[in-house]
Amino acid sequence: MADLADLKTRSALAPLDIIHGGPADAGVVLTEIPFRSKLVLRGHLSEKAFVSAIKSVLGAVPPAEANTVAATKDVRILWTGPDEWMVYGDDTELAGKLATALDGQHAAVTEVTEHHTMIRLSGRHARDVMAKGCAIDLHPREFGAGRCTQSHIGRITVLFDQIDETPTYDILVRASFAEYLWTYLEDAGLEFGVRIENLG
């Protein structure tokens, strides 16, 4: 497993030499969130011990409904299959804590922090940018805050999570495709004005 402290010196988007800034009234805002802990969790919600262990660590129960999200202020749990979830948050010890809590159970925790990066797309035209390259119906009646899905943006597969109704999307992408996704989103947003922000 890669050391997270080392990972912080080599963002997946570092080769692009991204210049931060842009118009204050930009319709699209892009932010890289590269070092958030990410893990794949597998288990069965029918098992009380599994649910109890997860809730004790994450403070929430993984969602049972397809393409929904359970969240606290520190972590988000995205449904990716009937017995599988993507979990992300800022706690670098998250995977270890879950593995300890689930010890001896028929469950699995796989850290994927180093395999993925996250790009946040927000602003009043974020949905328009997403719609250019994604076949999912993103109309607020169909897809709103608290929803997630695996789909394509442009030519690559991503997992995205709608955070709020601004709208704001957190897009998880394999690190090897991060440069492609960033340049795609930047180009798709040009007609609306793009501002690039630092995290925080």
Side-chain angles (χ1 to χ4, degrees), residues 1 3 6 11-12 28 31 43 49 55-56 62 70 80 90 97 106 117 126 128 140 142-143 162 168 172 176 199:
M1 183 185 304
D3 186 284
D6 292 338
S11 156
V28 175
T31 309
K55 190 172 183 180
S56 71
T80 54
D90 292 323
K97 290 176 181 178
H106 186 65
T117 195
D128 298 314
E142 300 296 327
F143 196 98
Q162 185 169 333
T168 299
L172 286 93
S176 56
L199 180 62

Side-chain angles (χ1 to χ4, degrees), residues 13-98:
L13 295 178
L16 293 180
D17 292 322
I18 294 168
I19 299 174
H20 297 87
D25 63 346
V28 175
V29 179
L30 289 173
T31 309
E32 183 190 12
I33 310 176
F35 308 120
R36 186 159 285 173
S37 292
K38 307 168 197 77
L39 59 93
V40 175
L41 171 66
R42 300 203 66 181
H44 300 285
L45 292 177
S46 59
E47 297 179 3
K48 292 182 179 179
F50 173 77
V51 171
S52 178
I54 297 304
K55 190 172 183 180
S56 71
V57 175
L58 302 181
V61 175
E65 182 182 349
N67 301 317
T68 61
V69 179
T72 69
K73 67 181 183 67
D74 298 315
V75 71
R76 294 183 70 83
I77 311 169
L78 283 57
W79 186 98
T80 54
D83 64 352
E84 182 177 285
W85 301 266
M86 173 68 79
V87 181
Y88 68 90
D90 292 323
D91 184 353
T92 59
E93 304 298 323
L94 205 54
K97 290 176 181 178
L98 280 171

